[in-house]
Each structure stands twice: as C-alpha cells, then as structure tokens.
C-alpha cells in the first residue's frame, strides 16, 4: 500500500484528479483486501463497479483515475487505436502465464498508454509500464518509485491532424502548432483531410459535439457567417430626397400646412387667399423669397422668421445635394440580424436556418434576395480566403463568387475553436502547455499578422468619372414633358376661354347694334309720321 500511495501521488495525485473509479471483478480474497485498503486511503467521491463491462463505461472520460482489479487471464481485443481515457492502476495476481500482460507486451492488444500494472501475491509486488513510443516495457522499483515522462521523447511518433473542407492552405496556424510540438518532442507531423482510425485529433467547425471524443479549447474561433447580396446604387434623383430624413421632411410639410392655415385665417392680406395658395407661397419663400404682397404685424413676424429658417434649411439642403453628387451612393447594406431575417431567403438545406428563425424556400433555385450560411473561422478576412478555397466543394462559397455576395457584419453561433481528440491517447496531454504558451506570448496573433494582410475595404465609385445617362436624368425629362403637357392644356383652356369671351362680346355688340338700329328706325318712323301730319 505504501508503494501504491507513492505511485498514486506521482501518477494520479488526488488534488488534481478529484474522482476515482474502482472496478473489482476479481473474487480473490487478496484482491478484496487491496480494494478495502484503497478505499480507506482515498476520500470520496468514488465510483464502484463489479462488472467487467463497466471498465470502458466508467473510465472512458479523460482526466480521471481508475483502479481496476483484473484476473490476469483476460483475452484483450485485437490491436486498435481506440484508447480508454482515464489514468489506470491495474492490479494483476501473479500467475505463471499472465495472458493480459503477454498480449500487452506483444503488441497484439488494445493500446493502454496511461496504465501502470501492479502484479501482486502474498509476499511481493512488481510494477510495470509499457512505453508505446519506444515499444518497451519498463519495471519500477517498489521501494523507490520514479515514474517516467513518456511525452518527453516521442521517438518519431507521427501526430496525425485532420483539417477538412480544404482549409489547410488558409488556417495554417493549426498545422504550425502541430509541427512545433512534433519538432520539440522528437516526433513527426502529418496533415490529412479525411478521418481514419489512425487520426489523433482534428478541427470541427461551429463547436459541434462529437460523441466518443475528447475536446480541448484551442486558439481561434468558429462561427456561422451570412453571405448576403451587395447593396445596389441609388438613382441620381435620390439626391433631392436623401439630404433630410423622413422626420425632417414631415416636419417641414407640417410647418408649411400649419402656416398656410394660420395665415389664411388671421393674415391681413394673405387671408384673402385659400390655404393651398398660402402654402404655395410658403414654398416660394423657401425657393426664391415671397412672391406676393403681405403686410400687418402678424404677417411680417411670421414670414420674417420663416424666411430666416429657410436660409438655414435651404443652404444645408443645397450643400448636401452638392456633396451627394460627388460619389455613388448605395442603399443600406444587410448587416443586422433583423435585416437578415426580413430581407433574406435561405435554401432549405441550410443547417441552422430554422433554429435562427430565418425564411427558407422550398427549392434551392437562386433568387435576387437569396442568402447563404457559411462555416467560418477567426475573422472576415480568413472567411473570405476559406470561401475562395472551398468554392468548388461548398455551395455557399460557389454562389458567393457567382453572384458577388458579401459577408454580413452579424455572425451566429460563435465559439472558441476546439481540438477534438478522436482517440483517448496520452498525446492529448502535450497540447495544453503549448496552447497556453502561444496564447500568453501573443504568438498566435503575431503569426497571422505576418502571414496575412488586411482585406481592402470596398472603394466608392467617384461620381465625376461616371457618365450621366438619360436614364439618370429621366425624372428631369418626366418633369419637362409633364410641364409641356400641363402648359398645352392650360393654353388650350385659355384659347377656349378667350373664344367664349369673344363670342359673348360679339353677341353683346350685335345686340347693341340691333338695338341702335331699332332706335333709329323708331326715330325715322316718328319723323315720317310728323311730316305726314304736317302735309295733311
């Protein structure tokens, strides 16, 4: 028991490994006595089991300790790289032919690279450990226990790292970290793109949990980015509206209508006009000053203050129009989560669209407002490089280059990058030291700073190098044609009105002329009658 306590303090100290599993399916009385003593010297919590099948179930988790009492004649599984996860103390009764140890030493059994084997009988114990890097079994002195660090020298052991989706040429830091570990520990490194039974560890984007693996927080991050259509240029006529927002325009219109009502009711001269005419006069004050005669103290005060306000408003308006004409302006970009939900439609095959409450379509046919989800790494620049490298394999990346999509500012499901160790090998214990060392020294950020450059932002197209077309000035032609039509209608109306007035004047003139003739005839008749009377 003194040897076990010393071995436990060095290999699996209780202050670090809080929980211990004790699995005893050996019915030998000496095995029962050993378990009883171990239970006395180890404080709870403990997990006890007496079933051989509980070995893998209770000890599959890493960062745990396990005491296993075996019979010694178990036939282990054939060679496979599937490791158990805990650190083990395996007690064997001394037998003439220990099948368990024979299979372990011959290399025909499962790999148990975290185990110390204690062979016992009534008089003595022997402690063995198999170093799978050197393929040698060493024996420890029970009176002077000194455990060895197998990870100090890997003896050419190959670290196999999987990085799928064709991202090995973009996220090169992961391979650099593995190469550094292998170089300093006398090992080798291999980067692969498919998972097989020999794979040690790898990267899976978006923090997806994998059953049967162990995971570790790495350097970097993963998230889901949204590929959205780029905003379209605004028409040229929008410069007449964009200088002020909707609230300002509404305030100006309400002010004009309010002044129109007040002056039409209480003005000295403008009260003779209608509300519409007074409102039109307020608009004329904004454009070129008053165009009608006004007077009185009330009208003078109102219009004078209104003209002072118009100087500020119109000068700001004109200067903004000139500024807006100097470059091409675009409609607002799709960036926020609300904009994405309201403006985007995602293919039905998008993995997270329903969880994020996004709009989906029945088929995957491209549309004008079609957006896509892309599994991303670290930042927008790295995401852009990943899309370029995966444009032949990934639908979202292919559509992004086909339709010139951009990456929205809002991201979803952001997690720390995780390394997944597909086998519970002792190799995992190499990585925490190097990951913390790279992080605390700032070498991770420095590495990508030297390996990459910042993506250039989109440059605005200067307006002066762009030719103005008739389409840009279409609203001007519409106004011109509308003015011509209205002027022609008014001209015809004036002609009709003038003709009617002329007919009325002619009728009155004819009536007056006939009346004069009638009076002359009456006078002639009276004269003739007077002459006839005289003759008679």
């Amino acid at each position: 028991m003194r040897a076990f306590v010393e071995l436990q303090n060095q290999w699996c100290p209780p202050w670090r490994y809080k929980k211990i599993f004790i699995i005893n399916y050996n019915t030998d009385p000496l095995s029962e006595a050993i378990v009883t003593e171990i239970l006395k010297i180890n404080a709870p919590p403990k997990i006890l089991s007496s079933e051989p099948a509980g070995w893998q179930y209770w000890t599959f988790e890493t960062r745990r300790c396990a005491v296993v009492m075996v019979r010694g004649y178990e036939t282990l599984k054939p060679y496979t790289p599937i490791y158990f996860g805990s650190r083990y103390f395996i007690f064997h009764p001394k037998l003439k032919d220990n099948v368990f140890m024979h299979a372990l030493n011959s290399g025909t059994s499962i790999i148990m690279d975290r185990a110390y084997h204690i062979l016992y009988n009534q008089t003595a114990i022997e402690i063995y450990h198999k170093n799978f890097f050197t393929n040698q079994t060493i024996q420890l002195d029970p009176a002077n226990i000194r455990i060895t660090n197998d990870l100090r020298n890997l003896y050419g052991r190959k670290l196999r790292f999987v990085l799928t989706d064709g991202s090995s040429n973009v996220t090169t830091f992961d391979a650099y970290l593995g190469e550094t570990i292998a170089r300093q520990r006398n090992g080798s490194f291999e980067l692969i793109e498919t998972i097989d039974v020999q794979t040690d560890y790898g990267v899976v984007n978006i923090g997806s949990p994998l059953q049967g693996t162990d995971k570790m927080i790495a350097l970097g991050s993963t998230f889901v980015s949204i590929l959205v259509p780029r905003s379209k240029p605004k028409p040229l006529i929008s410069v007449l509206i964009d200088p002020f927002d909707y609230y300002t325009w509404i305030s100006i219109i309400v002010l004009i209508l309010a002044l129109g009502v007040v002056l039409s009711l209480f003005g000295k001269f403008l009260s003779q006009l209608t509300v519409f005419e007074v409102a039109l006069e307020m608009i004329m004050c904004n454009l070129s000053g008053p165009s009608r005669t006004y007077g009185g103290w009330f009208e003078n005060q109102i219009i004078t203050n209104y003209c002072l306000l118009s100087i500020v408003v119109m000068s700001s308006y004109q200067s903004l129009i000139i500024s807006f004409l100097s470059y091409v302006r675009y409609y607002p970009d799709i960036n926020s989560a609300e904009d994405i939900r309201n403006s985007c439609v995602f293919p039905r095959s998008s993995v997270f669209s329903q969880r994020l409450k996004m709009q989906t379509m029945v088929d995957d046919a491209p549309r004008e407002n079609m957006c896509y989800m892309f599994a991303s790494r670290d930042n927008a620049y790295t995401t852009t490089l990943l899309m370029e490298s995966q444009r032949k394999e990934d639908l979202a990346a292919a559509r992004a280059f086909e339709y010139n999509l951009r990456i929205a500012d809002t991201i979803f499901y952001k997690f720390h990058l995780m390394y997944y160790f597909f086998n519970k090998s002792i190799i995992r214990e190499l990585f925490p030291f190097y990951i913390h060392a790279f992080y605390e020294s700032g070498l991770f950020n420095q590495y990508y700073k030297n390996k990459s450059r910042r993506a250039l932002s989109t440059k605005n197209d200067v307006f002066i190098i762009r030719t103005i077309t008739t389409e840009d000035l279409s609203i001007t032609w519409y106004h011109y044609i509308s003015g011509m039509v209205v002027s022609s209608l008014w001209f015809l109306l004036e002609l009709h009105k003038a003709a009617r007035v002329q007919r009325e004047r002619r009728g009155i003139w004819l009536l007056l002329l006939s009346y004069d003739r009638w009076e002359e005839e009456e006078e002639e008749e009276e004269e003739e009658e007077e002459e006839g009377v005289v003759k008679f």
Side-chain angles (χ1 to χ4, degrees):
M1 292 312 302
R2 286 195 300 270
F4 171 76
V5 170
E6 182 62 29
L7 182 63
Q8 182 183 12
N9 290 334
Q10 295 186 36
W11 175 240
C12 194
W15 60 267
R16 184 176 180 183
Y17 299 90
K18 303 296 184 181
K19 187 178 293 186
I20 185 169
F21 302 91
I22 298 179
I23 301 174
N24 181 22
Y25 57 90
N26 188 351
T27 58
D28 182 70
L30 186 54
S31 175
E32 294 287 346
I34 293 174
V35 170
T36 303
E37 293 297 326
I38 291 176
L39 290 175
K40 292 179 180 179
I41 63 176
N42 281 279
K46 305 177 184 67
I47 295 179
L48 300 175
S49 175
S50 59
E51 296 293 332
W55 184 349
Q56 184 172 354
Y57 176 80
W58 290 112
T59 67
F60 196 73
E61 186 70 26
T62 58
R63 299 177 297 279
R64 297 289 186 266
C65 291
V67 175
V68 183
M69 313 298 294
V70 301
R71 300 185 183 98
Y73 49 82
E74 292 88 342
T75 302
L76 301 181
K77 296 179 181 178
Y79 170 79
T80 173
I82 299 178
Y83 303 77
F84 297 107
S86 300
R87 290 192 170 199
Y88 295 97
F89 304 97
I90 304 178
F91 286 83
H92 306 256
K94 283 188 177 181
L95 302 175
K96 181 179 294 187
D97 185 14
N98 193 319
V99 179
F100 193 107
M101 291 298 297
H102 176 71
L104 190 69
N105 294 328
S106 63
T108 59
S109 66
I110 60 174
I111 294 177
M112 299 192 67
D113 55 3
R114 301 188 190 192
Y116 280 84
H117 303 270
I118 305 172
L119 280 67
Y120 64 91
N121 58 17
Q122 294 288 350
T123 59
I125 64 171
E126 299 174 359
I127 302 176
Y128 296 93
H129 173 66
K130 174 70 178 289
N131 187 331
F132 286 87
F133 302 134
T134 61
N135 198 26
Q136 295 179 350
T137 301
I138 61 175
Q139 183 176 359
L140 280 67
D141 182 7
N144 186 21
I145 295 177
R146 294 291 184 268
I147 66 171
T148 60
N149 185 2
D150 294 349
L151 298 175
R152 191 178 298 276
N153 192 336
L154 300 182
Y155 292 95
R157 165 72 153 80
K158 182 179 292 186
L159 301 180
R160 294 174 57 86
F161 172 66
V162 60
L163 193 62
T164 57
D165 300 329
S167 57
S168 58
N169 58 341
V170 177
T171 55
T172 55
F173 176 80
D174 301 315
Y176 174 67
L177 177 64
E179 292 171 354
T180 302
I181 296 174
R183 182 176 62 254
Q184 293 191 359
R185 297 304 174 100
N186 191 24
S188 60
F189 180 81
E190 182 180 4
L191 180 64
I192 57 178
E193 294 186 354
T194 56
I195 301 175
D196 56 24
V197 294
Q198 299 293 334
T199 303
D200 289 314
Y201 71 107
V203 170
V204 180
N205 283 354
I206 325 196
S208 302
L210 297 177
Q211 288 287 15
T213 64
D214 190 26
K215 49 192 173 293
M216 178 186 299
I217 295 179
L219 297 174
S221 60
T222 62
F223 52 88
V224 175
S225 58
I226 308 299
L227 308 180
V228 298
R230 296 183 182 272
S231 59
K232 297 181 179 180
K234 287 187 175 182
L236 184 63
I237 193 60
S238 63
V239 298
L240 300 178
I241 302 174
D242 289 348
F244 297 147
D245 57 6
Y246 293 111
Y247 300 103
T248 304
W249 284 117
I250 293 173
S251 301
I252 293 175
I253 294 173
V254 170
L255 176 62
I256 291 174
L257 294 177
L259 292 180
V261 173
V262 171
L263 292 176
S264 64
L265 293 176
F266 307 106
K268 182 176 181 181
F269 292 96
L270 297 180
S271 60
Q272 301 174 7
L273 306 177
T274 62
V275 175
F276 175 75
E277 291 174 330
V278 177
L280 186 61
E281 177 64 20
M282 296 296 101
I283 296 175
M284 290 301 299
C285 289
N286 285 330
L287 299 177
S288 59
S291 61
R292 295 177 182 272
T293 302
Y294 65 93
W297 181 87
F298 184 74
E299 286 185 357
N300 289 336
Q301 294 294 325
I302 291 294
I303 296 180
T304 301
N305 287 286
Y306 181 73
C307 289
L308 290 174
L309 175 65
S310 299
I311 294 174
V312 178
V313 172
M314 293 308 298
S315 62
S316 302
Y317 181 73
Q318 293 173 0
S319 62
L320 289 174
I321 286 179
I322 295 172
S323 300
F324 287 168
L325 287 173
S326 62
Y327 67 95
V328 177
R329 294 169 304 108
Y330 295 84
Y331 287 105
D333 289 325
I334 301 174
N335 278 322
S336 65
E338 184 178 359
D339 293 339
I340 294 173
R341 290 188 176 95
N342 295 334
S343 305
C344 285
V345 176
F346 291 86
R348 183 177 55 182
S349 58
S350 298
V351 179
F352 302 104
S353 57
Q354 294 184 352
R355 295 184 180 181
L356 295 174
K357 299 180 180 180
M358 302 295 184
Q359 301 181 37
T360 57
M361 52 185 298
V362 177
D363 54 359
D364 292 346
R367 295 185 181 181
E368 185 177 358
N369 61 339
M370 179 73 78
C371 301
Y372 298 90
M373 295 183 180
F374 185 75
S376 308
R377 284 277 305 268
D378 298 338
N379 51 49
Y381 178 72
T382 305
T383 301
T384 303
L385 297 180
L386 286 174
M387 286 194 302
E388 185 175 357
S389 64
Q390 299 178 18
R391 57 193 302 183
K392 294 182 180 180
E393 297 84 9
D394 188 84
L395 174 64
R399 294 289 171 81
F401 280 88
E402 183 179 358
Y403 298 103
N404 193 25
L405 303 180
R406 55 176 290 272
I407 303 172
D409 294 342
T410 300
I411 59 176
F412 300 94
Y413 291 112
K414 185 173 182 179
F415 299 101
H416 289 289
L417 180 67
M418 305 293 291
Y419 283 161
Y420 289 92
F421 293 82
F422 303 103
N423 302 310
K424 302 302 180 70
S425 170
I426 196 174
I427 288 293
R428 181 195 180 280
E429 299 183 6
L430 278 171
F431 286 81
F433 169 77
Y434 285 93
I435 290 176
H436 286 87
F438 271 86
Y439 174 75
E440 293 176 359
S441 61
L443 293 177
F444 172 71
N445 296 328
Q446 189 69 21
Y447 174 86
Y448 276 116
K449 182 179 180 181
N450 295 334
K451 289 286 185 180
S452 63
R453 57 181 177 84
R454 293 180 60 86
L456 296 177
S457 58
T458 304
K459 295 183 178 179
N460 292 326
D461 185 14
V462 181
F463 182 77
I464 58 176
I465 65 175
R466 176 185 166 198
T467 304
I468 301 176
T469 62
T470 54
E471 184 179 357
D472 295 329
L473 299 176
S474 58
I475 190 65
T476 306
W477 294 107
Y478 293 153
H479 286 169
Y480 176 75
I481 295 173
S482 301
M484 292 290 294
V485 172
V486 173
S487 301
S488 300
L489 293 176
W490 278 108
F491 180 71
L492 294 176
L493 184 61
E494 289 293 338
L495 289 179
H496 176 71
K497 183 177 180 181
R500 187 180 63 181
V501 171
Q502 187 176 3
R503 288 195 300 270
E504 291 177 354
R505 288 180 178 178
R506 186 177 180 182
I508 294 173
W509 181 77
L510 292 175
L511 182 60
L512 294 175
L513 182 60
S514 62
Y515 180 73
D516 292 340
R517 289 181 179 178
W518 178 76
E519 285 183 343
E520 290 178 356
E521 292 177 357
E522 288 291 334
E523 290 178 356
E524 289 178 358
E525 290 179 359
E526 289 179 356
E527 292 178 356
E528 290 178 357
E529 289 179 357
E530 289 179 356
E531 291 178 358
V533 172
V534 171
K535 290 180 180 180
F536 176 77

